[in-house]
Amino acid sequence: MSTQPAANAGAQTLYASAPKIYARYVKGTFARLRRLSTLGLLGIYYIIPWLTWGDRPLVLLDLPARRFHILGLTLVPQDLFLLTGMLIIAAMTLFLFTSLAGRLWCGFACPQTVWTNAFMWMERMVEGNRHARMKLDKKKWGAEKLLRKLAKHVLWFAFAFWTGITFVGFFVPITELVPQLFAGTLGGWALFWVIFYAFATWGNAGFMREQVCRYMCPYARFQSAMFDKDTLIISYDALRGEPRKSRVKKGDDQNAGDCVACNMCVQVCPTGIDIRDGLQYECIACAACIDACDSVMDHVGKPRGLVRYSTAHQDAGGKTHILRGRTIGYAVVWLLVVIGFGLVLLNRSTMELDVIRDRHAMSRNVGDGLVENIYTVKLTNKSDFPRDAVLSAVDDSGNPITLSANRFTVAPFATTREVISVRARTEPGQPTMGLNFHAHWVEDPEQSADAQARFIGRNR
């Protein structure tokens, strides 16, 4: 008989599931700000698809038609650089805000935080406070537990489903989407994304919660590159708080710090950290621990601020510097990008012109010293009504060039392609010359576009 130990005897795993966090409800100044932020941002999200600008939605990303309606401005694929500019401005705003205010975005405005707050409110409404939820989870399955869990998930999924409908409403007019959905005629990708986004919201805000902030969000990882000793953080005043009351001998209150070791700061933390251990990347700066600690300090007759918004310089007894190299650099770049974007937007033309010489057609002598080249003219109309365009061309010396056609009608948000012939007189030994094309709308000559092309001279 073998004396070898069993293969699994004494085996240890390096993986352990994260314990479920039961965040305690807290009242206070920052809790009110979080509620106002949550209600405001959710209100904006759910209302915007229903708002209109003229005869179209205020915001509609119409992918099949390749049109993006944003606050009265209609962008087409040729305006992709404007969308890129918007994303750059958003990124630079986040960098500047982070260097100044730390992770206030995470604690008050991040979609993950906003929807998690809403789901936690529904959870408290159905299952009760922190202790009631912990007690309910420990109970064996019965009628009460089943009904409460079922009611919670019905509320969660109804809210998530409407979130999915609203999300698709940014891509499909919601006044068409909702009737089709409830009539059972909605299908295809629209229905798929409604269900997908509903499940994503239900899973992220209902189950994953802090796991998204800890392991999935890249912002928590690269924020350290934007932090310095003057960045706003939440900190625990260890000089004032230590030693904690639980760490001194009984009756020796005179040597104890202000921290009474109530662990309220840990119980209210949505990511389950202990702020007394110092700054951690999991901290989303929501200030729940500040409200909790201030209420305890009020109760025991101690001054507030044991846990507070601060900076590393302030904690070390120094002065916080708002204007510093990092923030000035971010601000300058942000301002330049915003100004550049504004200038491009103000000077944006509703016309785009592209002229391409037909390389498959050779230049042709047509007599009287004239040479003919064939070109394809592409005119794009970025406005929402049909327009007539006039096209002209001159050579490098400014001499007018004869075109076989110079007037075109372009449909709204469309590109017309016309093949034209161009005749010009070239000198012997002049193989090529440049052509400068100019087009403008008949109704609005100031809206114009230019393009350049090469003209091939005599072929013999």
Side-chain angles (χ1 to χ4, degrees):
M1 183 172 60
S2 174
T3 59
Q4 294 293 327
N8 293 328
Q12 295 183 353
T13 178
L14 298 179
Y15 171 80
S17 298
K20 183 176 179 179
I21 296 175
Y22 297 87
R24 184 174 186 146
Y25 178 71
V26 62
K27 295 181 179 180
T29 302
F30 296 108
R32 287 192 293 272
L33 291 176
R34 284 196 306 277
R35 284 192 289 272
L36 288 174
S37 176
T38 298
L39 291 173
L41 292 171
L42 287 177
I44 292 172
Y45 174 81
Y46 291 110
I47 291 174
I48 280 182
W50 296 95
L51 301 179
T52 58
W53 186 293
D55 59 348
R56 65 169 64 97
L58 183 65
V59 176
L60 179 65
L61 309 178
D62 191 349
L63 296 180
R66 296 184 294 279
R67 302 174 194 170
F68 307 95
H69 307 286
I70 304 173
L71 305 178
L73 177 68
T74 299
L75 303 179
V76 294
Q78 289 82 357
D79 295 318
L80 182 62
F81 65 95
L82 289 175
L83 294 176
T84 304
M86 292 179 184
L87 293 177
I88 294 175
I89 290 174
M92 293 308 304
T93 301
L94 183 61
F95 294 165
L96 176 60
F97 186 83
T98 301
S99 67
L100 290 170
R103 295 189 68 181
L104 287 186
W105 158 265
C106 296
F108 291 85
C110 174
Q112 176 65 19
T113 298
V114 169
W115 265 271
T116 297
N117 288 341
F119 272 55
M120 290 173 65
W121 177 80
M122 288 182 276
E123 186 176 54
R124 286 194 302 269
M125 183 177 66
V126 175
E127 297 185 357
N129 58 26
R130 179 175 185 268
H131 295 294
R133 297 197 304 273
M134 295 173 68
K135 185 177 179 181
L136 181 66
D137 283 351
K138 291 179 181 178
K139 278 185 177 181
K140 293 183 178 180
W141 283 97
E144 179 189 5
K145 184 173 182 177
L146 181 62
L147 288 175
R148 287 186 181 273
K149 293 291 184 182
L150 181 62
K152 179 183 73 173
H153 285 283
V154 167
L155 285 176
W156 277 3
F157 197 77
F159 191 71
F161 190 68
W162 189 249
T163 300
I165 293 173
T166 304
F167 175 76
V168 177
F170 285 93
F171 299 88
V172 178
I174 201 164
T175 52
E176 302 174 9
L177 176 68
V178 173
Q180 291 178 14
L181 180 66
F182 288 101
T185 58
L186 183 67
W189 286 107
L191 180 60
F192 168 80
W193 285 111
V194 167
I195 297 174
F196 177 86
Y197 203 77
F199 270 103
T201 304
W202 181 57
N204 287 344
F207 297 95
M208 300 182 69
R209 294 186 180 177
E210 76 285 348
Q211 306 300 324
V212 174
C213 303
R214 284 186 170 189
Y215 307 119
M216 297 175 63
C217 178
Y219 181 50
R221 300 296 179 177
F222 68 71
Q223 62 167 330
S224 58
M226 294 175 281
F227 271 43
D228 56 31
K229 293 184 178 181
D230 293 295
T231 299
L232 189 68
I233 59 174
I234 293 181
S235 63
Y236 164 69
D237 191 347
L239 293 177
R240 175 185 156 191
E242 301 295 329
R244 302 172 196 172
K245 192 172 182 180
S246 61
R247 296 180 180 178
V248 299
K249 294 182 179 179
K250 188 174 182 180
D252 190 14
D253 292 343
Q254 292 183 351
N255 294 324
D258 286 352
C259 180
V260 297
C262 62
N263 287 334
M264 287 287 289
C265 56
V266 180
Q267 294 179 20
V268 300
C269 180
T271 59
I273 66 170
D274 188 341
I275 195 62
R276 295 169 296 182
D277 293 336
L279 180 64
Q280 298 150 69
Y281 79 88
E282 296 94 342
C283 176
I284 60 173
C286 66
C289 54
I290 296 179
D291 284 332
C293 188
D294 283 348
S295 65
V296 173
M297 292 297 103
D298 291 343
H299 182 72
V300 300
K302 299 288 185 178
R304 291 186 168 197
L306 182 59
V307 179
R308 66 195 187 282
Y309 279 117
S310 180
T311 65
H313 269 159
Q314 185 177 340
D315 290 342
K319 182 180 179 181
T320 299
H321 302 88
I322 296 177
L323 295 178
R324 54 194 190 274
R326 183 189 299 270
T327 57
I328 293 174
Y330 284 142
V332 169
V333 174
W334 178 85
L335 186 61
L336 291 175
V337 173
V338 170
I339 292 175
F341 180 81
L343 292 175
V344 171
L345 193 61
L346 289 174
N347 294 302
R348 173 180 177 265
S349 175
T350 57
M351 171 187 284
E352 187 165 307
L353 172 66
D354 192 16
V355 180
I356 304 173
R357 184 183 177 278
D358 189 348
R359 297 181 179 179
H360 298 287
M362 301 292 292
S363 60
R364 184 170 67 93
N365 297 329
V366 294
D368 196 22
L370 294 175
V371 179
E372 182 182 74
N373 282 207
I374 305 299
Y375 295 86
T376 299
V377 175
K378 295 195 294 184
L379 269 169
T380 300
N381 179 10
K382 300 179 183 178
S383 62
D384 54 359
F385 49 88
R387 285 187 161 184
D388 293 324
V390 174
L391 179 68
S392 61
V394 297
D395 61 20
D396 290 333
S397 301
N399 301 314
I401 300 298
T402 303
L403 308 178
S404 63
N406 66 345
R407 196 176 182 98
F408 312 95
T409 299
V410 190
F413 301 113
T415 298
T416 185
R417 292 173 174 81
E418 299 288 344
V419 177
I420 65 171
S421 63
V422 176
R423 294 183 177 183
R425 193 181 305 276
T426 61
E427 299 298 330
Q430 183 183 11
T432 65
M433 68 178 181
L435 294 182
N436 300 301
F437 291 86
H438 176 81
H440 64 266
W441 300 126
V442 175
E443 304 86 349
D444 187 4
E446 293 185 358
Q447 295 289 313
S448 61
D450 297 290
Q452 288 75 41
R454 299 302 298 175
F455 187 88
I456 306 299
R458 299 182 182 183
N459 56 18
R460 68 176 184 270

